[in-house]
Amino acid sequence: MTTSTTTASAAVSEAGRPAPGRSRRRRGPAQWGFVAPAVLFMLLFFGYPLVHNVVMSFQHYTPKTFFTGEAPLNGFANWSNVLQDALFGKALWHTLVFTAGSLLGQFCVGLALAVFFHRTFPLNGVLRSLILLPWLVPMVVSGIVWRRILDQDTGVLNSFLDTLGLGGHTPWLTSPHMALLSVVLVNIWIGIPFNMVILYGGLQEVPRELYEAAALDGASAWRTFRSITLPALRPVITVVLVLGFMSTVKILDLILALTDGGPADATQTLGTLTYQNSFVRLDFGAGAVVGNILILISAVFAVLYLRADRTEGE
């Protein structure tokens, strides 16, 4: 009797349950309804500008085009002009130096601060909050403030160095040999909080038992850092470096506020070259070419990040 009752109940349950294929078909439109706004947003605000920028790099696009709507195709003329321009080679080299120097400085100082604040001591939270301030200030404001600080004649830094007897006439932003270094140092100051916050969060996930075991084994601080901290932070380090690269390689506003690409194009990067071509020389085709090269470089590192992340997951 019990068996027959159970069988009947199961049959009723199965009869009342919709077929798997029918349920899947019903869920399909509802799922697309939730995804459609995001897809539409991506197509309108990312897809269309990207495609239009690629097309513009093969057109003779001038201010006249905004009135006539005519932008005749000129093949690879824009690409040829940009790649043969000596300024493009300088801008590419400056971009590599600026990006590599910024990432190295931001990461090393950020990691040192994250390890320092990983310990418990009075005012830990207050000091961490104060270090976040450079990250919260708009980059243009930071650039203007640092331009005043690094001014050769009236800057605070040169006045301080002069007081110490170390010379107070360093042309931080007006010398072709010093300007790029100065811009890199300012960008390091801006990016340190981001690196510290992300790496500090990664340190919070490292089990305390590992450090306790290392202490019992008599491991030195350097050995503990090299054998426990760095391997545990490897996925976080990948994220920090890739995100830092993609945000640093295209920086424009900071350089414009500090040096405007000068002196003598000493701080001209791909980002500033895109701006100069498009909005100073009004050569929108050449500006689109440099912009596409920046997008391509960022896409390559994004793919490398995804491959590294997939490898870590496996």
Side-chain angles (χ1 to χ4, degrees):
M1 179 65 104
T2 304
T3 304
S4 60
T5 303
T6 305
T7 305
S9 301
V12 171
S13 177
E14 290 294 334
R17 184 182 304 165
R22 184 182 304 173
S23 175
R24 197 176 296 115
R25 286 194 297 271
R26 289 178 179 176
R27 289 200 302 267
Q31 291 172 345
W32 277 108
F34 285 108
V35 174
V39 173
L40 184 62
F41 177 84
M42 294 291 291
L43 290 176
L44 287 177
F45 295 99
F46 291 93
Y48 172 74
L50 179 60
V51 172
H52 186 67
N53 197 67
V54 172
V55 174
M56 189 186 299
S57 66
F58 297 98
Q59 292 177 316
H60 182 60
Y61 209 99
T62 63
K64 185 179 178 181
T65 304
F66 292 99
F67 300 97
T68 64
E70 298 176 357
L73 294 174
N74 60 358
F76 289 91
N78 293 329
W79 289 83
S80 177
N81 293 336
V82 169
L83 296 178
Q84 292 178 5
D85 187 2
L87 184 56
F88 173 78
K90 292 178 61 176
L92 180 60
W93 171 247
H94 295 159
T95 302
L96 294 176
V97 173
F98 174 75
T99 304
S102 297
L103 289 181
L104 182 63
Q106 291 171 359
F107 174 76
C108 292
V109 179
L111 179 60
L113 289 175
V115 173
F116 174 76
F117 285 112
H118 190 52
R119 302 177 300 170
T120 303
F121 59 89
L123 300 179
N124 184 309
V126 175
L127 292 177
R128 276 190 289 120
S129 301
L130 292 176
I131 291 178
L132 288 177
L133 290 179
W135 191 31
L136 301 177
V137 177
M139 196 167 290
V140 174
V141 176
S142 298
I144 294 174
V145 171
W146 274 100
R147 187 170 184 168
R148 295 291 301 167
I149 293 175
L150 298 175
D151 187 88
Q152 181 177 357
D153 299 320
T154 61
V156 175
L157 181 57
N158 276 343
S159 299
F160 177 71
L161 293 176
D162 189 40
T163 303
L164 297 179
L166 300 177
H169 304 285
T170 305
W172 298 102
L173 299 176
T174 55
S175 169
H177 304 290
M178 293 290 299
L180 185 59
L181 174 62
S182 301
V183 173
V184 169
L185 292 176
V186 173
N187 193 49
I188 289 174
W189 176 81
I190 293 174
I192 286 174
F194 171 78
N195 285 257
M196 186 200 71
V197 168
I198 303 299
L199 294 171
Y200 179 80
L203 286 175
Q204 297 296 100
E205 301 298 324
V206 182
R208 292 280 184 178
E209 293 79 6
L210 296 178
Y211 293 108
E212 294 173 358
L216 291 176
D217 290 341
S220 63
W222 170 245
R223 180 62 185 272
T224 302
F225 175 78
R226 183 167 55 89
S227 302
I228 297 178
T229 305
L230 278 183
L233 285 179
R234 189 174 302 162
V236 181
I237 291 174
T238 303
V239 173
V240 166
L241 292 180
V242 172
L243 293 181
F245 174 87
M246 296 180 68
S247 63
T248 303
V249 74
K250 60 181 179 59
I251 281 182
L252 169 66
D253 41 5
L254 176 65
I255 300 177
L256 290 181
L258 285 171
T259 62
D260 197 22
D265 295 320
T267 57
Q268 197 78 256
T269 62
L270 293 181
T272 59
L273 185 59
T274 303
Y275 172 81
Q276 294 284 345
N277 284 336
S278 297
F279 302 107
V280 177
R281 302 170 190 164
L282 300 180
D283 189 352
F284 298 102
V289 170
V290 183
N292 288 329
I293 293 174
L294 269 176
I295 293 173
L296 182 61
I297 293 174
S298 299
V300 168
F301 275 83
V303 171
L304 292 177
Y305 162 68
L306 292 175
R307 290 178 62 88
D309 186 59
R310 184 179 301 174
T311 303
E312 289 289 339
E314 295 174 355

